[in-house]
Amino acid sequence: MKSYQLIISLFLVIFISCSKKEKEVAIAEAKPKKEAEIKPEFAYGFSLNEYHVERDTIERGDNLSLILARHNYDATEIHDIVAKVKDSFDVRKMKAGKAFTLLKSKETIPKLEVLIYEPDQAGFQVLDFRDSIHAYTVNYPVSYKEKTIAGEINGSLSASIQNEGLDPGLAAALAKRFAWTIDFFKFERGDKFAISVREKYINDSIYVGTEEILGAYFEYKGKDVYGFPYKRAGENEAQFFDENGQQMRTMFLKSPLKYFTITSKFSKNRFHPVQKRFKAHNGTDYAAPHGTPIMTTASGVVIETGRTSGNGNYVKIKHDGMYTTQYLHMSKILVRRGQSVAQGQTIGKVGSTGLATGPHVCYRFWKNGVQVDPLKQKLPTSLIMDKSDLPNYLAQIKPIKKAIDDKIQEKLEN
């Protein structure tokens, strides 16, 4: 009997204890969180907990005046606000699709106190309507990271670059810088490449784009081709040089057209398609659609422009004491006699004026006053690196070339 009473007593003690704990837990859960327990939220330099926060996007046709009008500002107030911030906040540059945030007071009738506009990833602009109306811009910190990739050509170069995690738009930039050394339309599947770049980031995490190409390598027709930028004193833009300091840019472009088909080469005895007889053809014919831009293949001065029955509209350019070029059959001439022109500048448009069976440009080339075949000439570089620049250049490219070579080797081993 005593044992039975003891068991009953223990059961009651346990039951009361558990009930008490459950009640305490329920009371604790029912209590509202203290003010100090609310996690503070900060953004744009403001404590967001102190405001009613509204996030929105600029709609098409929207502007600052309409936004303020929707939040109880009258026409006079809006005019005063725009006048006060015009030097630090250009209201005309608010664009559709861009985000903005409104911070309102926690009053019964909320009042707009701050407007934050985000034009891009680089930062934000603040319109502060509190004590004294003013505006300011905050730019996020910018950082740069160097990155080197290597791969094989599989399809287009741009797609191959993208497959290795870089911006495919780099292909166009590289084509421009290596244009005198590599024909980017003649890569073979499996050709290797490597690129070293400096990338730009905002807040150390948001990728903005490629800031600079530091160096590049291509396996082209069985040869190793390197290129690195180097800016010499007094130059506005860096030129590209190979690993030995030899400039990659030659004095002449390979052709006066970007896209073309060679229909007739330099010959001492060619059958003329119009005159129907054999005669010397002292030029190279590049066929292209009517109106295609014609570029001067080297910098120089226009010494002749005009029209003859055989040449049609033409331009002749003297490049230095040794070289002169001429461009025939133009539909339109875009330069004048005595004008200085830069390499790659458009000087006319493809046509079929004169003795021509279709739209093309006949490109003629003189060396020391004698017409020669430009495709067989070993043309000089336009700029030669001074010996005083070479040690600095080689020291600058050494770590970049090593990073490229290491990445190529790593790729071969995997």
Side-chain angles (χ1 to χ4, degrees), residues 53-66:
V53 180
E54 293 182 13
R55 305 182 191 277
D56 208 340
T57 302
I58 304 290
E59 300 291 341
R60 187 174 296 277
D62 226 347
N63 56 44
L64 180 62
S65 296
L66 293 174

Side-chain angles (χ1 to χ4, degrees), residues 292-344:
T292 299
I294 299 171
M295 305 176 294
T296 174
T297 54
S299 300
V301 177
V302 178
I303 57 173
E304 288 182 31
T305 63
R307 182 184 179 110
T308 65
S309 58
N311 296 341
N313 296 322
Y314 72 91
V315 171
K316 195 170 186 178
I317 299 172
K318 187 174 183 62
H319 304 290
D320 59 13
M322 185 178 293
Y323 297 103
T324 303
T325 58
Q326 190 178 28
Y327 312 79
L328 313 181
H329 310 302
M330 293 180 170
S331 61
K332 191 174 184 179
I333 296 171
L334 298 176
V335 290
R336 65 185 184 280
R337 185 174 181 177
Q339 180 179 340
S340 295
V341 290
Q343 184 184 57

